[in-house]
Amino acid sequence: MIEVSEKVSAISPSMTLAISAKANELKAAGEKVINFGVGEPDFNTPDHIIQAAKDALDKGYTKYVAAAGLPALKKAIAKKFKEDNNLEYDPSQIIVSNGAKHSIFNAVFAVINPGDEVLIPKPYWLTYPEVVKSCGGEPKYIPTTPESGYKLSAAQLESAITPRTKMLIFNSPCNPTGAVYSESEIRELAKVCEKYNICVLSDEIYEKLIYGNQKHFSIASASPKMKELTIVVNGVSKSYAMTGWRLGYLACPQNVAKAISSFQSHATSNVNTMTQYATIAALEGDVTAMQKMVEVFKERRNFMLEKLEKMKPLGLDFVKPDGAFYVMLLCEGLYGKTYNGVKINGSLDVANLLLEHKKVALTPGVCFGDDTTVRLSYALSKEDIEKGLDKISDFVKECK
């Protein structure tokens, strides 16, 4: 028998796998499952981006390219950082990887040594702590609250720092909460990081998906020093409906970029070449389709929030999101009750019972480090949102 390594053994299995498998079984059996668990846009990639990939294939662009990315793509990404975020990066400071998740792994692997602490506000995207553990680091969680809009304060950050703290993983707009930090809030966090020389991995993959009056502000732009302490991760999966294309990128100080480039050259080499040409078209081409998608998400968000507001008398509450396409539903009021003879003890019970009895799939908050919630996505039609929320309402009414 082959024994797996300690690092791999330390990684926790995804608690969502059982629910996903059950939902797929129901669909395969012909059941209509309303899926609030989706983490990707329900839109097809815009035509001009698809065409750019076809053109690349027709031109024979099917060979290896530089491991860190096509020069033309890195130039386009540098232009995007300048125009969108007021950040100046040389193309040599940019690494193109197989999705933002891969970029996050590269960043943590390049910076974290065994025993280093990595601060992670919670609720958090479930992959963050697993990446930290796989790289030998130690996740340290900083709880946020519904009252704060699930935002980390500068005071909380400072009180969590120890001599072993090496990195803060920061995500705005946030998955799973939809929280968007203001410029002033981010500048206060940056001051703390500068004071203690804390590296920040800033995950900005939902940058374009912001609603209302909020605006995206990258922590790397807070000051020249903060830029030197920040690894910015982004990509095209969410903003351009390109989840399956698998392309993310990061920008960082020169020495870190050089290390990541070397590592990636041995680990994966380059992202598939035709996707890189498609991404150039995404970054440099017409953004009308993207803007329309954001408007649809905004409409769905408002529709979902209106429905949830009417459900408050049932004992459910929620935290209004300003970005991404998720809402955190507070479901702790159901704990201790029973449904169909089964006692509800946590968010996983809520998710399992809703799927089994109402054919509604959602993500239990325990996956994100917060067992008082479930996450609802609004990356599905308004019709399904309405039907799904009605089924959740019925479920709550039937709990004893």
Side-chain angles (χ1 to χ4, degrees):
M1 179 178 174
I2 299 174
E3 292 186 8
V4 299
S5 69
E6 291 180 3
K7 284 185 178 179
V8 171
S9 297
I11 299 172
S12 302
S14 172
M15 287 179 284
T16 61
L17 285 180
I19 290 178
S20 296
K22 192 181 292 186
N24 289 333
E25 286 176 13
L26 290 169
K27 288 179 181 178
E31 296 277 6
K32 165 67 175 176
V33 177
I34 296 175
N35 189 3
F36 285 114
V38 289
E40 61 180 340
D42 57 323
F43 295 84
N44 197 25
T45 305
D47 291 342
H48 71 283
I49 299 174
I50 294 173
Q51 188 60 50
K54 292 178 180 177
D55 291 344
L57 291 170
D58 289 340
K59 293 174 182 177
Y61 295 154
T62 60
K63 308 298 183 184
Y64 291 132
V65 296
L70 280 169
L73 174 55
K74 293 169 73 170
K75 184 178 178 182
I77 293 169
K79 182 181 178 184
K80 171 258 176 288
F81 275 120
K82 176 60 179 175
E83 292 179 351
D84 291 353
N85 311 110
N86 196 29
L87 289 168
E88 294 270 7
Y89 286 109
D90 187 85
S92 63
Q93 295 178 271
I94 293 167
I95 309 293
V96 179
S97 301
N98 294 279
K101 186 181 291 189
H102 186 202
S103 296
I104 289 166
F105 178 87
N106 282 348
V108 176
F109 190 81
V111 172
I112 297 303
N113 291 310
D116 285 343
E117 281 182 352
V118 178
L119 303 180
I120 305 176
K122 71 175 187 178
Y124 49 75
W125 181 46
L126 55 87
T127 293
Y128 293 146
E130 306 312 324
V131 168
V132 171
K133 288 187 285 185
S134 72
C135 295
E138 296 182 11
K140 182 177 181 180
Y141 306 111
I142 310 176
T144 62
T145 65
E147 292 74 24
S148 69
Y150 290 122
K151 293 183 185 180
L152 173 70
S153 71
Q156 280 181 295
L157 174 60
E158 186 161 20
S159 66
I161 293 171
T162 74
R164 293 197 296 123
T165 302
K166 185 73 172 287
M167 174 184 282
L168 165 69
I169 296 183
F170 183 67
N171 180 209
S172 176
C174 178
N175 174 12
T177 67
V180 178
Y181 288 73
S182 67
E183 179 177 341
S184 61
E185 289 168 335
I186 290 175
R187 287 189 180 278
E188 289 302 308
L189 293 171
K191 289 177 184 177
V192 176
C193 294
E194 292 173 7
K195 179 179 177 181
Y196 294 93
N197 211 41
I198 303 298
C199 166
V200 175
L201 192 165
S202 184
D203 181 355
E204 304 179 12
I205 192 68
Y206 291 95
E207 171 188 18
K208 302 292 186 180
L209 302 180
I210 296 179
Y211 320 105
N213 297 320
Q214 292 279 22
K215 303 218 179 279
H216 178 70
F217 181 79
S218 176
I219 194 169
S221 64
S223 71
K225 182 177 180 180
M226 196 64 241
K227 183 186 173 191
E228 290 302 305
L229 287 171
T230 303
I231 301 171
V232 181
V233 170
N234 211 319
V236 292
S237 62
K238 313 297 183 182
S239 299
Y240 297 91
M242 293 177 68
T243 52
W245 296 74
R246 305 315 305 137
L247 189 141
Y249 54 84
L250 60 78
C252 57
Q254 193 73 248
N255 65 315
V256 179
K258 184 177 180 181
I260 293 174
S261 178
S262 177
F263 170 60
Q264 183 165 295
S265 71
H266 295 292
T268 62
S269 296
N270 61 276
V271 176
N272 76 82
T273 305
M274 61 289 304
T275 284
Q276 296 197 52
Y277 282 100
T279 301
I280 294 172
L283 295 176
E284 295 185 341
D286 186 7
V287 297
T288 303
M290 180 194 77
Q291 291 170 339
K292 288 181 179 178
M293 181 181 73
V294 174
E295 282 302 309
V296 171
F297 278 139
K298 181 179 179 181
E299 290 174 10
R300 293 174 179 174
R301 162 189 172 266
N302 293 341
F303 180 72
M304 178 178 275
L305 296 183
E306 288 172 7
K307 289 279 291 182
L308 290 174
E309 189 69 34
K310 294 175 182 177
M311 291 166 61
K312 278 187 175 182
L314 298 176
L316 294 177
D317 204 350
F318 63 93
V319 177
K320 182 181 177 181
D322 289 311
F325 37 70
Y326 310 108
V327 178
M328 294 298 269
L329 185 64
L330 310 178
C331 58
E332 197 173 16
L334 297 176
Y335 300 174
K337 296 183 178 181
T338 60
Y339 184 87
N340 203 36
V342 177
K343 187 175 181 181
I344 301 173
N345 294 310
S347 60
L348 194 57
D349 292 333
V350 174
N352 282 326
L353 288 167
L354 274 167
L355 183 57
E356 181 179 354
H357 295 281
K358 297 297 183 182
K359 307 303 183 287
V360 172
L362 42 73
T363 311
V366 68
C367 299
F368 311 118
D370 183 359
D371 198 28
T372 67
T373 62
V374 291
R375 189 192 73 177
L376 303 177
S377 169
Y378 45 91
L380 61 165
S381 70
K382 287 172 79 171
E383 180 183 9
D384 278 353
I385 289 172
E386 183 167 31
K387 288 180 180 178
L389 291 181
D390 285 344
K391 286 174 177 286
I392 292 174
S393 179
D394 290 342
F395 172 81
V396 174
K397 292 173 184 175
E398 292 162 12
C399 288
K400 307 297 183 184

